[in-house]
């Protein structure tokens, strides 16, 4: 059965800290891995990764994929209270429907 | 202003009643999806549709039904057969692998 596992399940840090969120997967016919941020309602897209070793960056956020070891990390540097959210990892398979398999998410709380 | 709208934001129903959740998109996306989110479980796929008048069951379709009569609309009906319907429901549409989400509907059944 396909699965996506995120760790840690929750994390509390202070403003200015750097955090690393993990996502491992066992999915047949892997196509891509996506990261989303969910603050209260709608998840918003962060990154889509398809190739190993190529870091994607957006401001203080970055992510990288390792297709050999089947995992991805999401880094957030110089955290701010606005980074507090649930971070979701999802994997797309090469199949009809472009369905995503989601992990349970990591709850990040940044304290001021 | 393009996007996905879901209504209502909050919905309360008595056990045994069917309820329909609305999802509309003006992104001109062919594909649409319904997910259920429970605490600690991430998003689970209920139904998806790649094209008008066609839809497929996801991983947890029992107790739910959908229709796709128009490209921009994909309503979800939660029937009385769904054993544990209280949850947060998210609708999404996509072009390729990237999915865009609506703001969700929180359904409470008592």
């Amino acid at each position: 059965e396909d699965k996506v596992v995120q760790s840690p399940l929750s994390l509390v840090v202070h403003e200015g800290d750097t955090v690393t969120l993990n996502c491992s997967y066992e999915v047949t016919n892997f196509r891509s891995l996506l990261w989303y941020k969910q603050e209260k309602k709608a998840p918003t897209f962060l990154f889509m990764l398809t190739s190993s070793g190529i870091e994607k960056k957006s401001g203080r956020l970055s992510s990288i994929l390792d297709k050999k070891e089947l995992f991805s990390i999401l880094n957030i540097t110089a955290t701010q209270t606005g980074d507090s959210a649930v971070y979701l990892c999802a994997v797309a398979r090469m199949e009809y429907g472009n369905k995503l398999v989601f992990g349970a998410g990591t709850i990040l709380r940044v304290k001021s | 202003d393009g996007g996905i709208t879901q209504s209502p934001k909050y919905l309360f129903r008595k056990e045994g009643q069917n309820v329909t959740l609305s999802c509309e998109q003006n992104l001109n996306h062919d594909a649409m999806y319904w997910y259920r989110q429970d605490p600690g479980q991430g998003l689970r796929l209920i139904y998806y549709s790649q094209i008008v008048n066609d839809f497929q069951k996801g991983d947890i379709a029992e107790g739910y039904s959908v229709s796709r009569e128009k490209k921009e609309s994909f309503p979800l009906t939660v029937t009385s057969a769904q054993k544990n319907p209280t949850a947060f429901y998210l609708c999404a549409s996509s072009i390729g692998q990237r999915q865009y989400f609506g703001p969700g509907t929180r359904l409470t059944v008592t």
Side-chain angles (χ1 to χ4, degrees):
Chain A
E1 183 181 333
D2 292 340
K3 61 180 180 181
V4 177
V5 178
Q6 293 186 242
S7 63
L9 290 181
S10 66
L11 188 59
V12 180
V13 301
H14 288 94
E15 270 192 315
D17 288 350
T18 293
V19 298
T20 298
L21 308 183
N22 304 291
C23 177
S24 64
Y25 61 91
E26 292 179 30
V27 173
T28 54
N29 299 319
F30 174 92
R31 186 173 185 182
S32 63
L33 185 144
L34 298 90
W35 285 97
Y36 286 86
K37 177 183 181 182
Q38 185 178 25
E39 291 183 74
K40 285 190 179 168
K41 295 180 180 176
T44 54
F45 173 80
L46 294 175
F47 299 110
M48 183 167 72
L49 304 149
T50 56
S51 302
S52 282
I54 299 174
E55 186 182 47
K56 295 240 177 166
K57 292 194 75 169
S58 177
R60 296 175 293 102
L61 277 66
S62 65
S63 184
I64 198 162
L65 173 68
D66 186 328
K67 291 168 72 174
K68 183 179 177 184
E69 300 297 329
L70 308 182
F71 77 91
S72 173
I73 60 172
L74 175 68
N75 280 322
I76 309 174
T77 59
T79 52
Q80 303 170 356
T81 55
D83 295 325
S84 296
V86 177
Y87 290 85
L88 298 167
C89 173
V91 173
R93 298 177 292 210
M94 289 191 194
E95 62 177 5
Y96 177 79
N98 283 319
K99 294 180 288 181
L100 298 179
V101 180
F102 280 87
T106 292
I107 303 170
L108 173 65
R109 181 180 163 212
V110 181
K111 296 169 70 173
S112 57
Chain B
D1 194 16
I4 302 175
T5 57
Q6 292 186 242
S7 60
K9 287 185 181 178
Y10 300 95
L11 193 52
F12 297 88
R13 281 292 183 271
K14 296 286 188 186
E15 205 173 296
Q17 293 179 332
N18 291 356
V19 59
T20 297
L21 282 58
S22 167
C23 177
E24 303 277 331
Q25 55 103 356
N26 60 5
L27 299 169
N28 201 32
H29 290 168
D30 285 317
M32 296 187 75
Y33 308 81
W34 272 106
Y35 293 92
R36 171 185 172 133
Q37 187 174 30
D38 296 283
Q41 292 198 47
L43 276 63
R44 292 183 290 166
L45 183 65
I46 304 172
Y47 268 96
Y48 63 104
S49 168
Q50 294 296 293
I51 196 167
V52 174
N53 292 322
D54 188 42
F55 49 83
Q56 285 76 38
K57 293 181 179 180
D59 300 317
I60 55 165
E62 186 176 347
Y64 300 98
S65 65
V66 293
S67 62
R68 188 82 188 278
E69 297 176 3
K70 299 186 294 183
K71 186 176 185 177
E72 57 271 22
S73 178
F74 191 39
L76 173 75
T77 297
V78 184
T79 75
S80 56
Q82 168 50 233
K83 298 301 179 194
N84 186 19
T86 294
F88 186 55
Y89 291 87
L90 282 161
C91 177
S93 67
S94 79
I95 185 161
Q97 302 140 67
R98 177 177 167 178
Q99 293 186 11
Y100 298 75
F101 288 86
T105 292
R106 189 165 297 279
L107 173 65
T108 302
V109 177
T110 56

